[in-house]
Amino acid sequence: MSTSSHSKPINRRVNSLQNGGQLSREGSRTRKRVVSPNDAYSFALRVAYLAYLLQPRARRTQHVPAPEPQVQRSSSSINDLMKDFSLVRDSKSTRFPHGFTAELEKRLTGVLMGREKKPEYNDATVKRTFAAFLNTFSEPSFKKRMEKDRRVEDLVLIFFSNATKELQKGKGPGDDSWKLMVDRHVALFVRLISLVLKDHDWTRERPELLSRLSTLESKLLAHDQDLAASSSRNGGSGGSTIEVIVPLSHEVKDMPLVRVVARIFGLTNTQVQSDIDKNKSAWTEKAALQDLKTYQQLLNLNSPKTLRNQDFDLEEAYDEWRKSEAPDLSQMMLAIVQSNPELAKSTSAGSLAQFNPGSNGAEAHDSGYLDSSKKLSENSESSSYVIDQPVDLSSLGSREHSPELQQDEENVFTYMPPDARAYYRLILGQALSYDLKDQNLQPTEATADMPPMKLLSKQSSELLNELCLRWRLPQVSRIILFLDVIREKFIDEEITLDTLDAAFNFIKEPLPENRKSSNFMSTLLFDRSKWTLADFTLNQQTLLALHDALLRDLYDTMQHCYESKPPSVGPVMYVLEHHIYEDPNFSKNPEDLEIFAHQLREGLCGRAFSIYKEFLGSKVPQDQQQWEFYHVIELGKAVVTLAERIQKRYRKNPEVMGVNPLTALVETILPLYSDDAKDIIERILQLAAQKGEEVPIEDGFELYGELVEIRRIHAEALPNNPFSFHIEEVLADFVWRWIRMTESMMGTWVDQAVKQDNFAVRTDQPNQIPSEDERHSVSVIDIFSSFNQTIDRIVQLNWDDDLQYAKFMTALARVVGNGIARYCEVVEQKFTWEMDRLTPEQEAEVNRTRQEKWMQLAKDAWSNKDKIEPFQFFPESFVKLNDIEYASQQLDKLEKEVNVDACAEVIQKNTPPVNQRQRKVNNFVFTIKIVEAEDLKACDINGLSDPYVVLGDEYQKRLAKTRVIYSNLNPRWDETVDIMTQGPLNIIATVWDYDTLGDHDCVGRTSIKLDPSHFSDFMPREYWLDLDTQGRLLLRVSMEGERDDIQFYFGKAFRTLKRTERDMTRNITDKLSAYIHHCLSRRALKSLLSRGISMSSVSSYFNRNKPAPITQAPTQADITNALKPLFAYFDDNFAIMNQTLTSAAMVMVMTRLWKEVLATIEALLVPPLSDKPSQQRQLNQQELDVVFKWLQLLYDFFHAVDEETGEANGVPLDVLRSPKYFDVASLNFFYFESTDALIRTSERMASATATRQQAQRNRLSAPASLTAPSFGGAASLLGLPSTRRSKSIMLSRNLGTMKKAKEEKRKEAQADPNDDMILRILRMRPEAERYLKDRSRQKERLAAAAAAEMIVRQSILAGGGRMTSNLPRR
């Protein structure tokens, strides 16, 4: 029925209750009645005693001797026999189970087929009767009805009907003997039913059914119709047996519920027995029946002593409850009458109860009392009534038998107390307290959703159920009162939270199917609109009280949440969320919850503060003199560990009632820790400074790691609150100290690594061919391992200040650069010593006199001895070259790992612009390239010299030394050296003649002043310096200010490696160059063209510049054979190198040799560039052809193409076809042109070059690159800037930039042809002497103008400051 029409009354009534209005029930509802335990005990004892009086009476078999006269037998009435099945408490308990009909049909078929083992079923008459029943039983309609109703009495009645019909056949009208056989056959059928139930173990679930079947069978055989032989009846003697009712003993030992009452109230059986004996005259079945009649009458009169419509929200709810009361009262009255039939005699015949299967069937089935009694009494062996069928007992409620009821009577009932709810609540509390303390009470079985629990015993549940039924308490009231008792015990801390949860689950537990239960409550799938107002109000009060208690428990539990093993908040939250907040009767108050959340947060913050103070007291000593970084670290670890533990603990549910324990923790302890850490650190550093001590660096690093982790947690938890101090600023000094310590030890590390290295390939077996990775020694691995460990130590700190980190990397780059410079210096010294060692022949020459030396020289000249033996290289020397090449690769890898460009960019972003800061450079790096010399003095007896250059300062300190160029008065070194100075420095350049025997001779000296102020534009300059004896020396000088820049330091380290690598390679090739010069000399050319005609060596010195006579041209075979000794020489040396050198180093040596070959052929064709005429003779056409064929043969040899595969194994093609190669090849086009034509070509090329340079200047592009050096003169004395591009250190900061710079140089040389080769040809033409001087002065003027314009442009670009544009910046 819809409740919309009653919405207003409901709201008014509920609101009045919530506002403290009184309920409409009698005093027990308007005010809380005070119930004494004695009164509660008295009424509980009455109900328990009444249950004993109304329980089914036990029966016993009694033997009756047979009388002498013949016993007259008669059949029993089937209606009397089936009474036990009709008037039962629970129809389900007397129904046969599902599947029973099929098994019974099989058993009946077995009787007919003779398979039944029992002898009594083998009688033919029995089989005939069973066959008649089986025919009826097999009908589908009958079987379907049996499966639906499953009533045993129906089967028995149908069998009785079929047996009667079958046995009556053929009998006369006066013959009644067949009637006794009907009882016999029905007994056999009942026994068969019992056998089927026993065979399939159905009797365990239906013991009552089996008992009643046994009783029925006994009744059917009451007239001595036993199924055994007559001779064995009654033990072989005459007589019969009968069943008699056992009288009640009225002793407590036979009263189960009475004993329960005694236990829960703490009384002895004797005391209880005394109370029963004293009152049993009043506590009778009649008084119970009278209570029911009185209750029924009060219910009809709408008396306040029963529930009325005012006690419900809805009229429909009251009507439904009242309608359900009538059948329950009728059943209870009939049970009392059945137990004591004498009570029926005092009632007129018209008022006796009649069996009425159809009346109020639906109402009776839906009754809440009936459902509860089903669940709570299934396992009860005795009960106060045993009626389950709807019965019409309205006559028992007749007013004529009811006393006059007075409204003001205290109590009109014997068994029902004046306030049933109050009495029931007290007894429930007593029972619950007793059962919870009972150690022998077995808990329920644990399930996936519920833990095992101990609440009420089976006996207590039965007592409480009996009280509810007798006192007419609705099912809802039982549940609400149970919760109220649980609430009281939980608040009084008599039960735990698990018990509270179990209690809620207990009342929500679904009605079990196919199993027994002793619980006194069933699942309440109820509509709350049917509740009484008292239950509604009490439920609200109970939930509110539990909510407050649970919040208190939650607060107390959360106060321990920061402990190592705190109690779980899960049970409290589970009860709140699943039992309190989900209940519709509970209404949340947001303001109260906010207040609780605020209190909880404040409590957690206070607890966090206390824990931090405990940490501080346990981790940090009280005496400041004992403070160390270790204490700050330990304090931080304790804080971090606690925060991580709390984060992990509350990861799935970070908030509890709107409060985040982790946030409350970190908001409290992290600011406290950061402030304390700052103060402690500053105090430790202050005390250390006062003592003149230093805190260990590793302690600072460890402290930084811990502080950074805490700062990370702080940032994640408190993003809007910055950390209290800048960690990096406080601890940066530890990193700088570590870098300075590393820098001081770097030289020692390098020296130790080199000292312990034998510079051998790292093979497992002595004769094993090493792989590419095994061709470098351990020293270079060790130093780069040190470099990597040094940088990794800083990287592993995860320094969180980009600018400071970039500065650290810059300082480490300087340290690494110094280490590499030291390594290159030591390795190159060892390499040079190995390469400059004396051969055995040279050592023998040392002991000869000067006359012996002249005689040996004359003998060599007379015998034309000119064979040169291959140089015996040490494998250790090649390993050293491999080490330098490997170092370049590792440095390039290190440069990428450090991310040099990113570090430089960070520093640049955080550095003021150049014009906004005072830039002062204290260190200057001068790069001096010793290019060449010409017209040197001859110091040897052969008219030549073996020159090399030594650079020194004014204090005679050697700064650099070049290699030796043998037998040459116009040597070209092309060697570079870096000199660092802080101010002007005078450099003295001395050219020496190398002499194997005796002292070296001085060829000449010159000097130059390196003044940083003269190189402020950072442009390179070239100087032709006249020697004090004869000839001059060409130097190319450039300057860079040493910058505290990571790119600069890496570039400097790369350039150091490359120069060392180049010098070592050149030193190797110099050992081979003598034979190259010998095989590609004019003497060899003359020998080839003379077809073997030789002359003395002495005369050849005097005639070497005369034109050779024209002879027949040599064949290609002759030209090839002339180079075979050189090729064999190369092969011998390459074989030695190939055993040790890496592929890259091998190609590098071959490339250098190719350059030496090109330089030798170039010197064979033309003299060096100069403004003076040369005495060198120009070759004729035949000689020129031979030279270019030699060039092609050598080109093919160095390219080393495999004839079978076509794969090149030698020098790469792009290296072979260098600009020098094309310059030499271009001589073939100009070599024999006339002097005038060459001059015109030179002028045209000079004009084109000037035009191109002017166009470049107009586009404001980079300065033009003129590869031709100046020829000296006045401009050279002034040191005018050269237009040649400077090789800046910044272009060498890694292998990539170096490769790019080399490629740009190649493209620049190819795109800017010049007339140098023409001018060198003109040196061999005496008539071109004047043009050479004019062209030299023209070049000087152009170079000076270009340099001046470049200076002006750089000044404009720099805003009037220093010339800095030539220094690349990011």
Side-chain angles (χ1 to χ4, degrees):
M1 180 180 296
S2 175
T3 62
S4 60
S5 61
H6 299 274
S7 60
K8 292 183 178 180
I10 294 173
N11 292 336
R12 286 196 300 270
R13 192 172 300 173
V14 173
N15 290 338
S16 67
L17 290 173
Q18 294 175 347
N19 294 330
Q22 293 183 349
L23 299 176
S24 60
R25 206 165 181 180
E26 59 178 319
S28 62
R29 298 173 180 82
T30 58
R31 63 184 181 274
K32 186 174 181 180
R33 176 184 290 272
V34 178
V35 179
S36 67
N38 290 333
D39 293 341
Y41 157 72
S42 175
F43 280 96
L45 183 61
R46 300 178 194 188
V47 174
Y49 178 66
L50 178 61
Y52 170 73
L53 295 177
L54 299 181
Q55 68 181 356
R57 304 295 174 85
R59 296 174 182 269
R60 63 187 177 190
T61 303
Q62 184 175 348
H63 179 260
V64 179
E68 290 297 329
Q70 182 70 28
V71 178
Q72 180 64 35
R73 301 191 178 194
S74 62
S75 63
S76 303
S77 171
I78 189 62
N79 292 330
D80 295 338
L81 297 175
M82 297 304 296
K83 187 194 314 183
D84 288 343
F85 285 94
S86 300
L87 300 177
V88 294
R89 178 190 61 175
D90 187 359
S91 60
K92 180 179 178 181
S93 63
T94 58
R95 295 179 182 178
F96 53 77
H98 292 288
F100 173 77
T101 55
E103 297 299 329
L104 180 61
E105 185 177 5
K106 294 179 182 178
R107 203 64 174 262
L108 291 172
T109 304
V111 172
L112 300 181
M113 299 297 294
R115 294 196 297 266
E116 189 63 43
K117 299 179 180 180
K118 301 291 183 180
E120 55 266 26
Y121 293 100
N122 295 328
D123 184 70
T125 307
V126 173
K127 290 183 179 181
R128 180 162 58 89
T129 306
F130 274 60
F133 170 74
L134 184 59
N135 291 333
T136 304
F137 184 74
S138 302
E139 293 180 3
S141 59
F142 178 79
K143 187 180 297 185
K144 183 176 181 181
R145 183 160 56 89
M146 288 295 101
E147 285 289 347
K148 179 180 180 182
D149 297 337
R150 297 186 288 120
R151 296 168 61 91
V152 176
E153 53 266 36
D154 293 342
L155 285 176
V156 175
L157 290 175
I158 295 301
F159 185 87
F160 176 80
S161 175
N162 282 275
T164 301
K165 293 178 182 180
E166 193 65 30
L167 294 175
Q168 195 177 8
K169 293 179 181 179
K171 303 296 182 180
D175 188 0
D176 294 335
S177 59
W178 59 273
K179 294 182 178 180
L180 298 176
M181 293 301 296
V182 172
D183 292 348
R184 175 185 176 86
H185 287 196
V186 173
L188 284 173
F189 179 69
V190 172
R191 180 175 293 181
L192 188 65
I193 292 174
S194 300
L195 291 175
V196 172
L197 292 173
K198 293 178 180 178
D199 291 346
H200 292 82
D201 201 22
W202 284 324
T203 58
R204 186 175 61 180
E205 297 180 357
R206 289 169 171 76
E208 193 171 348
L209 174 60
L210 185 63
S211 174
R212 298 193 182 281
L213 288 174
S214 178
T215 302
L216 177 60
E217 181 183 346
S218 300
K219 289 181 179 180
L220 288 171
L221 300 177
H223 298 293
D224 202 22
Q225 296 295 320
D226 197 358
L227 300 182
S230 58
S231 60
S232 61
R233 294 172 190 162
N234 301 320
S237 61
S240 62
T241 58
I242 62 173
E243 285 188 350
V244 296
I245 297 175
V246 178
L248 296 175
S249 65
H250 294 281
E251 295 181 0
V252 174
K253 63 182 182 65
D254 297 328
M255 305 175 187
L257 294 185
V258 172
R259 294 199 302 271
V260 174
V261 173
R263 285 199 301 269
I264 65 176
F265 282 96
L267 300 177
T268 63
N269 290 348
T270 304
Q271 293 173 319
V272 175
Q273 185 69 57
S274 174
D275 293 337
I276 291 176
D277 293 341
K278 199 182 306 179
N279 297 288
K280 66 180 179 180
S281 59
W283 297 349
T284 61
E285 296 96 324
K286 183 177 181 180
L289 182 61
Q290 185 60 43
D291 278 0
L292 293 177
K293 291 179 180 180
T294 304
Y295 178 83
Q296 188 176 38
Q297 185 176 9
L298 293 175
L299 183 62
N300 294 332
L301 294 175
N302 198 21
S303 170
K305 291 186 178 294
T306 65
L307 292 178
R308 297 182 295 174
N309 58 350
Q310 292 92 335
D311 297 321
F312 289 88
D313 280 346
L314 302 177
E315 297 291 341
E316 295 85 344
Y318 171 71
D319 294 340
E320 184 176 348
W321 170 79
R322 182 174 179 179
K323 186 182 297 184
S324 66
E325 283 286 275
D328 288 350
L329 292 173
S330 299
Q331 293 180 29
M332 295 173 67
M333 292 179 187
L334 185 57
I336 294 174
V337 172
Q338 182 182 359
S339 174
N340 189 355
E342 296 296 331
L343 296 177
K345 295 179 181 180
S346 62
T347 305
S348 61
S351 62
L352 289 174
Q354 304 294 326
F355 180 70
N356 185 7
S359 68
N360 298 327
E363 291 80 355
H365 182 71
D366 293 336
S367 171
Y369 300 105
L370 200 56
D371 289 342
S372 62
S373 63
K374 287 180 183 179
K375 178 178 179 181
L376 301 171
S377 302
E378 283 180 356
N379 290 338
S380 178
E381 297 178 357
S382 61
S383 181
S384 57
Y385 67 99
V386 290
I387 295 179
D388 190 19
Q389 303 301 321
V391 180
D392 184 8
L393 295 178
S394 58
S395 59
L396 295 177
S398 175
R399 295 183 184 179
E400 61 184 4
H401 298 288
S402 300
E404 185 68 23
L405 299 176
Q406 302 296 329
Q407 294 291 333
D408 56 351
E409 285 186 68
E410 181 64 26
N411 193 16
V412 296
F413 303 106
T414 301
Y415 292 97
M416 298 177 65
D419 187 352
R421 292 171 62 91
Y423 278 79
Y424 177 78
R425 187 186 183 283
L426 190 147
I427 297 171
L428 174 61
Q430 289 288 117
L432 191 60
S433 297
Y434 178 82
D435 288 340
L436 290 175
K437 297 177 183 178
D438 187 5
Q439 299 296 329
N440 297 324
L441 179 62
Q442 296 298 323
T444 60
E445 293 184 2
T447 63
D449 301 325
M450 294 175 56
M453 58 183 178
K454 295 171 57 176
L455 286 176
L456 289 170
S457 64
K458 175 183 176 182
Q459 295 80 7
S460 298
S461 299
E462 291 176 352
L463 173 64
L464 294 172
N465 183 54
E466 194 69 27
L467 293 175
C468 291
L469 294 175
R470 291 295 165 191
W471 295 351
R472 309 311 303 147
L473 285 176
Q475 177 69 11
V476 176
S477 299
R478 307 180 197 182
I479 294 176
I480 301 305
L481 291 172
F482 175 76
L483 281 182
D484 190 41
V485 173
I486 290 294
R487 183 266 313 162
E488 181 180 13
K489 294 190 176 298
F490 178 72
I491 293 176
D492 294 340
E493 298 183 357
E494 295 183 23
I495 62 175
T496 64
L497 189 64
D498 291 337
T499 306
L500 176 63
D501 179 44
F504 275 104
N505 292 325
F506 186 50
I507 63 175
K508 295 179 181 180
E509 183 185 4
L511 183 65
E513 294 182 5
N514 300 326
R515 65 184 178 89
K516 303 285 182 166
S517 176
S518 61
N519 298 338
F520 79 100
M521 298 178 189
S522 64
T523 298
L524 184 60
L525 301 175
F526 48 78
D527 184 359
R528 292 178 184 261
S529 63
K530 299 178 182 180
W531 284 21
T532 65
L533 295 177
D535 293 332
F536 188 89
T537 302
L538 182 58
N539 185 43
Q540 282 187 330
Q541 295 172 353
T542 301
L543 293 177
L544 287 174
L546 284 175
H547 182 254
D548 293 341
L550 289 171
L551 289 184
R552 286 193 295 270
D553 280 5
L554 179 61
Y555 182 90
D556 294 339
T557 303
M558 290 298 295
Q559 292 302 302
H560 302 279
C561 70
Y562 298 140
E563 298 176 359
S564 58
K565 293 183 179 180
S568 175
V569 299
V572 181
M573 294 303 302
Y574 181 85
V575 174
L576 282 171
E577 294 174 358
H578 291 80
H579 299 317
I580 304 299
Y581 295 148
E582 287 186 358
D583 197 300
N585 283 1
F586 180 80
S587 58
K588 291 184 180 180
N589 189 344
E591 295 181 359
D592 293 341
L593 293 180
E594 289 180 2
I595 293 174
F596 174 76
H598 176 73
Q599 294 175 349
L600 179 59
R601 188 179 299 107
E602 292 296 326
L604 291 178
C605 291
R607 182 58 186 155
F609 180 81
S610 301
I611 290 179
Y612 177 75
K613 289 301 182 183
E614 294 175 4
F615 286 164
L616 190 64
S618 61
K619 303 297 182 182
V620 180
Q622 295 293 328
D623 186 5
Q624 296 184 6
Q625 299 294 331
Q626 299 178 3
W627 284 358
E628 297 179 2
F629 282 179
Y630 168 78
H631 300 124
V632 182
I633 294 172
E634 289 300 309
L635 181 60
K637 287 182 178 179
V639 170
V640 171
T641 302
L642 177 60
E644 290 177 347
R645 184 169 68 241
I646 299 304
Q647 183 182 27
K648 182 179 180 181
R649 182 177 297 165
Y650 295 97
R651 180 171 299 166
K652 294 183 179 179
N653 299 303
E655 290 190 353
V656 178
M657 299 298 291
V659 179
N660 191 320
L662 178 62
T663 302
L665 176 69
V666 297
E667 284 180 350
T668 304
I669 65 174
L670 290 187
L672 292 172
Y673 173 78
S674 60
D675 294 339
D676 290 343
K678 178 183 177 182
D679 295 339
I680 295 174
I681 293 171
E682 291 177 351
R683 185 57 180 164
I684 291 174
L685 296 177
Q686 182 181 1
L687 292 174
Q690 293 175 358
K691 296 178 182 178
E693 300 175 352
E694 288 186 340
V695 180
I697 295 176
E698 287 302 321
D699 290 353
F701 287 173
E702 186 179 0
L703 175 62
Y704 177 77
E706 191 65 34
L707 290 177
V708 167
E709 177 64 17
I710 294 177
R711 184 173 61 185
R712 179 190 64 80
I713 298 175
H714 186 281
E716 292 177 355
L718 307 173
N720 299 324
N721 298 335
F723 204 68
S724 61
F725 70 100
H726 191 223
I727 303 173
E728 286 74 16
E729 182 178 352
V730 174
L731 300 180
D733 185 63
F734 288 90
V735 183
W736 290 118
R737 284 172 51 197
W738 187 82
I739 292 175
R740 290 193 295 269
M741 181 190 70
T742 304
E743 185 174 15
S744 64
M745 297 175 61
M746 183 58 67
T748 304
W749 292 349
V750 173
D751 292 342
Q752 289 296 325
V754 174
K755 183 178 180 180
Q756 297 174 9
D757 192 4
N758 57 4
F759 292 98
V761 294
R762 297 173 294 107
T763 55
D764 298 332
Q765 302 295 332
N767 297 326
Q768 181 181 355
I769 298 177
S771 62
E772 288 288 321
D773 294 335
E774 297 173 342
R775 295 189 179 217
H776 51 268
S777 63
V778 296
S779 61
V780 69
I781 298 177
D782 292 341
I783 64 168
F784 271 93
S785 176
S786 300
F787 294 160
N788 288 319
Q789 291 175 4
T790 300
I791 293 176
D792 288 344
R793 190 66 186 92
I794 302 299
V795 172
Q796 290 170 2
L797 291 176
N798 293 319
W799 203 259
D800 203 18
D801 188 305
D802 292 342
L803 179 59
Q804 288 185 353
Y805 177 81
K807 291 181 178 180
F808 294 158
M809 291 296 107
T810 301
L812 287 178
R814 183 183 68 250
V815 174
V816 170
N818 293 338
I820 289 176
R822 177 59 182 168
Y823 182 75
C824 290
E825 178 185 359
V826 175
V827 170
E828 189 173 11
Q829 286 177 357
K830 290 179 173 290
F831 179 86
T832 303
W833 180 85
E834 293 168 357
M835 299 300 293
D836 293 343
R837 71 189 187 280
L838 297 178
T839 63
E841 294 80 3
Q842 291 172 339
E843 291 179 355
E845 288 287 338
V846 174
N847 299 321
R848 292 180 182 177
T849 63
R850 185 175 183 85
Q851 184 178 4
E852 290 174 340
K853 295 177 183 178
W854 277 100
M855 292 297 296
Q856 184 64 36
L857 180 62
K859 290 179 181 179
D860 293 341
W862 181 259
S863 61
N864 198 22
K865 181 179 180 180
D866 54 8
K867 182 179 179 181
I868 301 177
E869 297 293 334
F871 185 79
Q872 299 297 323
F873 293 101
F874 287 162
E876 294 85 350
S877 303
F878 294 148
V879 171
K880 292 180 178 65
L881 180 59
N882 292 341
D883 288 345
I884 300 300
E885 186 262 336
Y886 177 80
S888 299
Q889 297 177 1
Q890 293 301 309
L891 184 63
D892 186 65
K893 185 185 299 184
L894 186 64
E895 190 263 353
K896 291 181 174 62
E897 292 175 354
V898 171
N899 201 352
V900 168
D901 294 340
C903 293
E905 184 178 359
V906 169
I907 293 178
Q908 183 181 9
K909 285 181 179 179
N910 292 274
T911 303
V914 178
N915 55 0
Q916 296 182 10
R917 69 181 189 271
Q918 183 180 3
R919 181 178 177 184
K920 184 179 180 180
V921 180
N922 296 322
N923 295 325
F924 302 92
V925 179
F926 282 93
T927 301
I928 301 178
K929 184 173 184 179
I930 305 171
V931 183
E932 62 180 338
E934 62 180 34
D935 197 20
L936 297 179
K937 180 181 71 173
C939 296
D940 295 337
I941 60 176
N942 58 1
L944 300 174
S945 294
D946 303 323
Y948 66 92
V949 180
V950 175
L951 296 182
D953 60 11
E954 51 191 322
Y955 304 103
Q956 298 182 355
K957 178 183 177 181
R958 175 180 289 192
L959 301 177
K961 173 181 174 295
T962 68
R963 72 189 189 282
V964 179
I965 304 297
Y966 294 96
S967 303
N968 201 323
L969 298 179
N970 298 292
R972 188 177 184 88
W973 292 279
D974 285 328
E975 294 190 20
T976 306
V977 63
D978 286 340
I979 298 176
M980 184 177 298
T981 179
Q982 295 182 348
L985 180 66
N986 292 319
I987 299 296
I988 300 174
T990 305
V991 182
W992 294 90
D993 172 57
Y994 178 82
D995 195 350
T996 306
L997 309 174
D999 297 332
H1000 299 183
D1001 300 323
C1002 179
V1003 179
R1005 289 185 178 87
T1006 187
S1007 64
I1008 183 173
K1009 184 177 182 180
L1010 302 180
D1011 191 346
S1013 62
H1014 296 164
F1015 292 84
S1016 59
D1017 57 353
F1018 296 96
M1019 292 294 295
R1021 288 171 170 77
E1022 292 184 348
Y1023 297 90
W1024 277 103
L1025 303 176
D1026 293 331
L1027 301 179
D1028 57 356
T1029 55
Q1030 175 185 336
R1032 56 182 181 172
L1033 178 68
L1034 177 60
L1035 300 180
R1036 184 176 294 123
V1037 183
S1038 63
M1039 185 196 75
E1040 283 191 75
E1042 184 179 14
R1043 301 164 52 187
D1044 189 19
D1045 183 275
I1046 188 171
Q1047 293 176 331
F1048 178 87
Y1049 291 131
F1050 268 95
K1052 186 177 178 181
F1054 271 110
R1055 191 159 71 171
T1056 301
L1057 286 171
K1058 284 302 176 183
R1059 285 180 178 174
T1060 303
E1061 185 180 66
R1062 183 174 62 247
D1063 292 344
M1064 294 172 69
T1065 304
R1066 183 177 291 162
N1067 207 333
I1068 293 174
T1069 57
D1070 285 348
K1071 300 303 178 183
L1072 310 179
S1073 61
Y1075 197 65
I1076 296 174
H1077 297 159
H1078 171 77
C1079 295
L1080 300 179
S1081 64
R1082 288 186 174 241
R1083 184 172 54 183
L1085 182 61
K1086 181 179 179 180
S1087 175
L1088 174 63
L1089 295 175
S1090 300
R1091 295 181 178 274
I1093 300 175
S1094 62
M1095 57 183 62
S1096 68
S1097 201
V1098 176
S1099 62
S1100 65
Y1101 289 138
F1102 294 99
N1103 298 322
R1104 64 181 183 275
N1105 291 326
K1106 292 183 179 181
I1110 304 301
T1111 58
Q1112 184 180 358
T1115 63
Q1116 183 64 36
D1118 295 335
I1119 296 173
T1120 303
N1121 291 333
L1123 292 183
K1124 279 187 177 181
L1126 180 60
F1127 291 157
Y1129 183 73
F1130 282 156
D1131 288 337
D1132 293 341
N1133 286 279
F1134 288 168
I1136 298 173
M1137 296 177 187
N1138 199 37
Q1139 294 177 357
T1140 308
L1141 286 178
T1142 62
S1143 299
M1146 189 69 189
V1147 171
M1148 188 165 51
V1149 172
M1150 294 178 67
T1151 301
R1152 181 62 198 170
L1153 282 176
W1154 171 247
K1155 291 181 180 180
E1156 191 67 29
V1157 167
L1158 289 178
T1160 303
I1161 291 180
E1162 182 187 40
L1164 188 63
L1165 295 173
V1166 291
L1169 187 64
S1170 178
D1171 59 346
K1172 297 179 181 180
S1174 174
Q1175 299 299 320
Q1176 183 173 332
R1177 177 184 61 84
Q1178 185 172 347
L1179 300 180
N1180 58 33
Q1181 184 65 51
Q1182 193 178 42
E1183 293 172 332
L1184 185 66
D1185 292 341
V1186 172
V1187 170
F1188 276 101
K1189 288 180 181 179
W1190 280 351
L1191 179 62
Q1192 184 61 41
L1193 290 172
L1194 289 165
Y1195 179 92
D1196 295 338
F1197 176 82
F1198 278 92
H1199 195 32
V1201 177
D1202 193 332
E1203 297 179 356
E1204 297 181 358
T1205 63
E1207 181 181 357
N1209 299 318
V1211 180
L1213 192 62
D1214 59 337
V1215 176
L1216 290 173
R1217 302 175 68 84
S1218 63
K1220 176 66 71 176
Y1221 172 80
F1222 286 108
D1223 287 344
V1224 173
S1226 67
L1227 289 174
N1228 199 20
F1229 300 100
F1230 303 109
Y1231 203 73
F1232 293 110
E1233 288 191 12
S1234 64
T1235 302
D1236 295 338
L1238 290 175
I1239 292 175
R1240 288 193 297 270
T1241 303
S1242 174
E1243 291 176 344
R1244 186 170 59 252
M1245 294 178 70
S1247 177
T1249 299
T1251 303
R1252 186 167 54 255
Q1253 290 179 354
Q1254 183 63 37
Q1256 291 176 349
R1257 289 194 295 270
N1258 292 338
R1259 290 195 301 268
L1260 297 179
S1261 62
S1265 178
L1266 298 177
T1267 58
S1270 61
F1271 291 94
S1276 66
L1277 298 177
L1278 297 176
L1280 291 178
S1282 170
T1283 57
R1284 181 181 297 273
R1285 184 175 182 178
S1286 172
K1287 291 185 178 179
S1288 171
I1289 291 178
M1290 302 301 291
L1291 298 178
S1292 306
R1293 62 179 181 271
N1294 56 46
L1295 293 180
T1297 57
M1298 296 174 70
K1299 184 177 180 181
K1300 183 178 179 181
K1302 186 179 294 185
E1303 186 64 26
E1304 289 178 355
K1305 178 181 177 182
R1306 179 188 300 275
K1307 292 180 180 179
E1308 186 179 280
Q1310 293 176 353
D1312 189 17
N1314 54 68
D1315 58 345
D1316 286 355
M1317 284 301 177
I1318 295 177
L1319 294 175
R1320 295 173 73 173
I1321 295 174
L1322 289 176
R1323 284 195 67 194
M1324 296 184 292
R1325 311 283 179 90
E1327 62 272 17
E1329 179 179 0
R1330 185 176 182 82
Y1331 177 75
L1332 289 174
K1333 293 181 183 241
D1334 294 341
R1335 181 75 178 99
S1336 174
R1337 287 192 293 271
Q1338 180 185 7
K1339 280 195 171 190
E1340 291 174 0
R1341 288 194 300 270
L1342 291 175
E1349 186 173 356
M1350 178 66 66
I1351 293 173
V1352 173
R1353 185 181 306 141
Q1354 289 180 348
S1355 178
I1356 295 174
L1357 292 176
R1362 297 185 59 179
M1363 306 303 167
T1364 58
S1365 62
N1366 192 45
L1367 295 178
R1369 290 188 177 85
R1370 294 188 58 82

